[in-house]
Amino acid sequence: MTPVTSMRGKRVAIFGLGGSGLATARALAAGGATVVPWDDAPEKVEEARREGFAVEDLHHSQWRRFAALVLAPGVPLTHPKPHWTVELAKAAGVEVIGDIELFCRERAKIAPRSPFIAITGTNGKSTTTALIAHILRRAGRDVAMGGNIGTPILALAPPAPERIHVIECSSFQIDLAPSLAPTLGVLLNITPDHLDRHGTMENYAAIKERLVARAEYALINFADEPSRAIFRKLSGFFAPDHLATMNAFGGLNNGCALRSELGFMRGGDWRPIYDLKGIPTLRGKHNADNALAAILATSKFLTSSFRSDTTAKRSASKEAIPQRFLSAEPPSQEPWPNFGERCFMEGALRSFPGLAHRMEEVGRAGRVLFINDSKATNADSAEKALSSFSGGIFWILGGRAKKGGIESLRPLFQRVEKAYLIGESTREFAATLSSEKVPKLRCGTLEIAVERAARDAAASGANEPIVLLSPACASYDQFKNFEARGDRFRELARRLIEEARALRAASSASSKARLRRQAPPAISGPTDEKIGTTRKSANTPRPRAVYRNRSRKES
């Protein structure tokens, strides 16, 4: 936990007692604040009361007594209209902040130079955050990972000079963190999403920009025009060695890029790093982007540890990477990143376990591969999944549709063998698919969709048919969240995989029994167990031995 001492002796209201809300209440109380929590859900209020907090209906509170309102990121700050607690707070002149802001203030107070990597983007931020943390941990660093992924930020260990905080930040969290100023800010991409909460695309992009604008170092992916515009804007304020870019082939000399391999551009010199083929947890170009970001981000914090004893690393790991990646120069003259880093990064990327619900490889039933991409809650995320396979896709999609539906995915429909529709969006998506003559089946539920998709995939002529759950929709029409949807898909897929395995085992046993019944009678007489040949009986006459005189060389 990170006790929030910056609010010691102050009275703080909290609204929203989900995962991060209760963690915030504990951290504030540990730091000496008086906490007044509330939630619209009675069970959440009761949970806070059981933990000993003096809950209070904020409708009736004296707001001028509060120093701040800490708002859960899922609660509207501005759009479609401010939450009633926000309106009461503003009327009383009380600042409205989030848990990320409390962490930033505590860091500024107790360890202002402690390493802090913040990652944002419409898509890919969870995988990139987890991969950065994975690489740093493999290098032996003390890492605290959380924020919008996994552990709430205030439930993590506090900032310290030797501890690296790796924090995923959603647009909602950034909007509630005015003093966010990480050591390194990473912006992966910006595409339309959550516009119901931010009003316009311009507002959404401006919020994402805040994370990199106040960072000491910034890494921006040239994935889209809003991100490129932010890079051009910040290039006038950042020192050249404090601002790097990804996937920029327009003459920029500082950053990393994706060609046929992962690589870095330093001073105009292209250096390949690693080919991601054969790593199932980093499948597709979008994951190549995530890997690029992770490599560059972690190299900022690991370079010094690899600079020493490069010669020893080269000799010890010479077989670890393909020959084409080896530098011809002496180690002392080798451009950054050096050989030791490249060997290390290869091992780190290969050992990355991936994340649940994000292109998660559940398993195989014969030729059929099941992929759980339940996190794809919009068309842009689903586009990454569909682009990862050249064809043979049996696509399960649907739920509560986002604006634009799946119209942007039309160019990828040719990769889809058949679509299986679930949820509220069935009629809308069926119309889009029909206009492109994509075979489809209205399934209604995930259970029916998985069963039918698996059956059709097994009967198809594809070399590796893919049953892909990538809904391009929110899950709230049928599930609590995308995790519950993905968990159910995994459960259904594993059941089919086990059934297929049991069927193969039974078929194999039956084949062996049939072969035994059809086998010719065995030759009588004892056999040699090692080589299965008939031994000669003791009474079998031996052939007459033929002797000859040995030469000296033979003896």
Side-chain angles (χ1 to χ4, degrees), residues 383-406:
E383 183 269 333
K384 307 296 190 299
L386 293 173
S387 298
S388 298
F389 306 98
S390 59
I393 300 173
F394 294 80
W395 183 23
I396 300 173
L397 71 159
R400 184 161 294 171
K402 300 284 183 72
K403 185 177 180 180
I406 56 172

Side-chain angles (χ1 to χ4, degrees), residues 526 535-543:
R535 290 181 183 171
K536 292 187 181 293
S537 168
N539 298 322
T540 304
R542 295 183 180 181

Side-chain angles (χ1 to χ4, degrees), residues 72-93:
V75 180
L77 178 63
T78 57
H79 293 81
K81 64 172 291 185
H83 190 259
W84 60 265
T85 54
V86 175
E87 293 178 334
L88 289 173
K90 289 186 174 179

Side-chain angles (χ1 to χ4, degrees), residues 289-322:
D289 280 346
N290 299 336
L292 281 166
I295 290 170
L296 188 57
T298 53
S299 293
K300 174 67 189 168
F301 296 88
L302 297 178
T303 299
S304 59
S305 63
F306 289 111
R307 287 300 179 191
S308 61
D309 199 20
T310 306
T311 305
K313 286 174 181 153
R314 175 183 290 272
S315 60
S317 308
K318 194 163 185 178
E319 300 303 321
I321 63 175

Side-chain angles (χ1 to χ4, degrees), residues 201-496:
M201 185 63 183
E202 290 72 23
N203 287 342
Y204 178 55
I207 291 167
K208 293 290 191 184
E209 179 184 340
R210 292 182 203 169
L211 182 137
V212 288
R214 295 194 60 189
E216 183 179 353
Y217 297 88
L219 170 61
I220 300 174
N221 187 13
F222 261 43
D224 46 74
E225 183 50 39
S227 299
R228 289 190 285 271
I230 290 171
F231 178 85
R232 288 191 290 268
K233 178 180 176 181
L234 297 184
S235 61
F237 300 96
F238 276 75
D241 60 344
H242 281 231
L243 181 63
T245 185
M246 292 166 46
N247 292 328
F249 296 108
L252 290 162
N253 291 329
N254 186 23
C256 53
L258 176 70
R259 294 186 177 181
S260 59
E261 301 158 323
L262 301 187
F264 286 94
M265 191 74 75
R266 297 289 287 182
D269 180 30
W270 168 252
R271 276 313 183 108
I273 299 298
Y274 190 65
D275 190 337
L276 294 180
K277 288 180 181 177
I279 305 180
T281 56
L282 294 173
R283 191 192 298 266
K285 184 194 176 296
H286 65 295
N287 273 325
D289 280 346
N290 299 336
L292 281 166
I295 290 170
L296 188 57
T298 53
S299 293
K300 174 67 189 168
F301 296 88
L302 297 178
T303 299
S304 59
S305 63
F306 289 111
R307 287 300 179 191
S308 61
D309 199 20
T310 306
T311 305
K313 286 174 181 153
R314 175 183 290 272
S315 60
S317 308
K318 194 163 185 178
E319 300 303 321
I321 63 175
Q323 184 66 31
R324 65 185 183 278
F325 290 165
L326 303 183
S327 172
E329 304 104 345
S332 60
Q333 298 176 10
E334 188 173 34
W336 178 92
N338 66 22
F339 180 85
E341 286 174 287
R342 297 204 299 273
C343 292
F344 169 79
M345 288 296 181
E346 178 186 15
L349 293 172
R350 282 202 171 279
S351 62
F352 179 55
L355 291 176
H357 316 300
R358 295 160 179 85
M359 291 295 288
E360 174 191 358
E361 192 170 301
V362 178
R364 295 176 185 271
R367 294 178 298 114
V368 180
L369 176 63
F370 292 85
I371 299 289
N372 172 16
D373 194 42
S374 181
K375 182 65 169 65
T377 58
N378 55 44
D380 189 61
S381 293
E383 183 269 333
K384 307 296 190 299
L386 293 173
S387 298
S388 298
F389 306 98
S390 59
I393 300 173
F394 294 80
W395 183 23
I396 300 173
L397 71 159
R400 184 161 294 171
K402 300 284 183 72
K403 185 177 180 180
I406 56 172
E407 290 292 328
S408 62
L409 301 178
R410 286 179 183 269
L412 295 169
F413 286 173
Q414 60 187 348
R415 305 185 184 202
V416 178
E417 293 282 334
K418 192 171 181 178
Y420 304 82
L421 298 163
I422 63 174
E424 290 178 0
S425 61
T426 293
R427 180 177 296 179
E428 176 190 345
F429 286 7
T432 305
L433 293 164
S434 293
S435 66
E436 297 290 336
K437 296 183 171 53
V438 178
K440 64 187 180 302
L441 184 65
R442 300 175 191 236
C443 298
T445 67
L446 184 60
E447 288 77 7
I448 295 173
V450 171
E451 180 185 355
R452 295 300 299 271
R455 185 191 309 169
D456 292 345
S460 74
N463 290 331
E464 186 186 57
I466 312 294
V467 174
L468 172 67
L469 171 67
S470 191
C473 284
S475 59
Y476 305 126
D477 59 330
Q478 293 180 319
F479 298 91
K480 179 182 178 182
N481 48 43
F482 75 84
E483 291 96 340
R485 178 172 62 190
D487 288 343
R488 182 58 177 154
F489 174 82
R490 190 191 303 113
E491 178 187 348
L492 294 167
R494 284 179 176 169
R495 185 182 303 166
L496 292 172

